[in-house]
Amino acid sequence: MNRVFSGVQPSGNLHLGNYLGAIRNFVRLQEEYECIYCVVDLHAITMWQDPAELRSNTRTVTAAFLAAGIDPKAQIIFNQSQVPAHAELAWIFHCVARLGWLSRMTQFKEKAGKKRENASVGLYVYPDLMAADILLYKATHVPVGEDQKQHLELCRDIAQKFNHDFGVAYFPLVEPLILGEATRVMSLRDGTRKMSKSDPSDYSRINLTDDATAIARKIRRAKTDPEPLPGSPEGLRGRPEADNLIGIYAALADTSKEEACRRFDGAQFSTFKEALAELTVSTLGRIGAEMRRLLADPGYVDSVLRDGRARASAIAEANLGEIHGIVGLLRP
Ligand code: AQP
């Protein structure tokens, strides 16, 4: 059986990158797969989170899932901390993964930066928990943005080593689903840096909750270069900001970069940015409004998470029992 699992951290403002790289694909995949979508609050606390904001951001990510179109009755939506089996399987995986594997993870290097000795241990072992999230449900497919590719390779390594060490064929080898024309949306201020929740400049990203005026202003101010737009994607080489904006346009218009370039061949950025702002507002405006409506009713959002927790726990507990048996953890 094919099963999708993916998660989003409640660690700040959800942005266009999270939407195009992940959440929009979550919605589309529910046509074909049984899907489990998780608000990964235990991942978020690998970096300091204000407790009240963490609670509020957990509801916001849930609202974004719902507003984007995930059906909470057909699929499972829950927050990670409410199913303790994630943390328990992560411990087993700490004993399977090798230090050398984790040391190669670029996200840890980027997030820990020069203050490596001060980074939390959680940030270092984050990929083990991510592997546990996915493998606890024996998920086969994981929709993510490009930045998560290395973590998914590690997840495959963990599954393979576990299966080999215990002589079983228990865990599937997951396939990443990196879909669309905007798998790595870049900052609007610097086309060489990823659009990110934690960027201190709000002008670097378009938040899912930005209103039409804010979206248009941010796109108008987005960094560009002095050349007009090229007629084909080859002309975007060495032009990271133009490449990023064309990629965003193509993804939102559900077309290819080739087609987007054809449409704006020779256009000035001012003309293109107007079209891009209009397209962005027409997509995100609806989602932002629905998120605000849902967040006005936290009781409903919490009931979705409670229902999801019960359904996720049932699968997780059954699988964890089997995993205990394989590892040799006695259930007297
Ligand atoms: N810029 C991006 N372009 C495409 N996809 C992206 N994703 C994140 N940023 C981009 C994808 O969104 C999903 C959820 O990400 P996450 O919240 O779990 O963690 P992240 O990748 O660490 O997100 P941020 O926004 O960059 O947060 P900070 O600033 O805290 O590091 C994932 O599938 C991710 O690939």
Side-chain angles (χ1 to χ4, degrees):
M1 185 207 21
N2 284 333
R3 179 180 277 161
V4 157
F5 180 97
S6 198
V8 174
Q9 296 185 67
S11 52
N13 286 311
L14 283 176
H15 52 73
L16 187 62
N18 297 130
Y19 179 66
L20 293 176
I23 298 172
R24 185 171 76 158
N25 300 324
F26 295 2
V27 178
R28 294 180 173 184
L29 289 164
Q30 56 183 345
E31 302 298 323
E32 236 184 285
Y33 295 88
E34 174 197 350
C35 302
I36 304 177
Y37 295 127
C38 188
V39 186
V40 286
D41 46 9
L42 295 177
H43 281 284
I45 61 168
T46 56
M47 309 280 277
W48 165 253
Q49 304 295 327
D50 174 82
E53 277 178 27
L54 179 61
R55 271 187 288 274
S56 153
N57 286 335
T58 300
R59 292 193 176 108
T60 305
V61 174
T62 310
F65 286 173
L66 298 169
I70 296 168
D71 176 352
K73 292 266 183 286
Q75 317 303 339
I76 296 179
I77 297 176
F78 73 108
N79 59 319
Q80 186 187 28
S81 59
Q82 299 310 296
V83 180
H86 288 245
E88 194 174 336
L89 184 56
W91 178 261
I92 294 175
F93 286 169
H94 294 332
C95 304
V96 174
R98 304 290 93 179
L99 271 179
W101 298 358
L102 290 164
S103 311
R104 285 195 287 275
M105 295 296 112
T106 51
Q107 181 172 291
F108 174 75
K109 290 182 199 160
E110 278 166 22
K111 289 201 172 177
K114 292 201 178 74
K115 296 187 178 145
R116 215 179 156 129
E117 295 298 308
N118 279 334
S120 74
V121 176
L123 189 66
Y124 187 70
V125 294
Y126 175 121
D128 289 351
L129 178 58
M130 181 166 157
D133 299 336
I134 297 163
L135 295 174
L136 185 57
Y137 301 93
K138 298 212 247 173
T140 50
H141 294 80
V142 184
V144 282
E146 184 91 35
D147 58 320
Q148 292 298 329
K149 206 170 158 192
Q150 195 186 29
H151 288 164
L152 284 179
E153 279 158 15
L154 189 99
C155 175
R156 287 167 68 96
D157 289 342
I158 289 175
Q160 218 153 15
K161 183 162 163 50
F162 180 99
N163 287 346
H164 175 267
D165 289 355
F166 293 102
V168 291
Y170 188 74
F171 289 123
L173 295 187
V174 294
E175 290 292 337
L177 296 173
I178 300 176
L179 307 167
E181 287 286 356
T183 56
R184 188 173 172 84
V185 177
M186 308 308 276
S187 158
L188 298 182
R189 309 300 295 160
D190 176 354
T192 63
R193 290 165 63 92
K194 190 177 83 123
M195 185 179 284
S196 152
K197 298 189 199 97
S198 53
D199 193 314
S201 166
D202 197 49
Y203 276 95
S204 68
R205 67 180 159 260
I206 294 173
N207 303 309
L208 292 194
T209 45
D210 281 347
D211 63 19
T213 317
I215 293 173
R217 194 185 319 120
K218 286 177 179 180
I219 292 179
R220 221 178 300 122
R221 290 206 194 164
K223 188 177 169 200
T224 50
D225 57 47
E227 303 295 316
L229 286 155
S232 71
E234 290 74 61
L236 295 168
R237 235 173 265 141
R239 300 178 65 186
E241 284 81 19
D243 188 27
N244 187 37
L245 295 179
I246 284 281
I248 293 173
Y249 180 94
L252 286 172
D254 244 326
T255 185
S256 60
K257 279 192 189 178
E258 281 82 8
E259 175 53 27
C261 286
R262 258 197 303 275
R263 277 185 209 173
F264 294 97
D265 185 7
Q268 296 300 321
F269 273 105
S270 51
T271 314
F272 169 69
K273 280 179 168 180
E274 247 173 69
L276 179 60
E278 204 175 299
L279 184 59
T280 312
V281 168
S282 73
T283 310
L284 295 195
R286 185 183 48 76
I287 296 173
E290 181 60 4
M291 282 173 72
R292 281 188 287 278
R293 192 188 70 77
L294 288 162
L295 289 170
D297 185 2
Y300 170 69
V301 174
D302 288 1
S303 74
V304 167
L305 291 173
R306 267 197 306 275
D307 176 60
R309 172 184 63 186
R311 287 152 62 213
S313 286
I315 305 171
E317 285 304 323
N319 287 347
L320 191 66
E322 291 174 358
I323 296 162
H324 278 183
I326 294 169
V327 174
L329 302 171
L330 181 69
R331 271 202 181 169

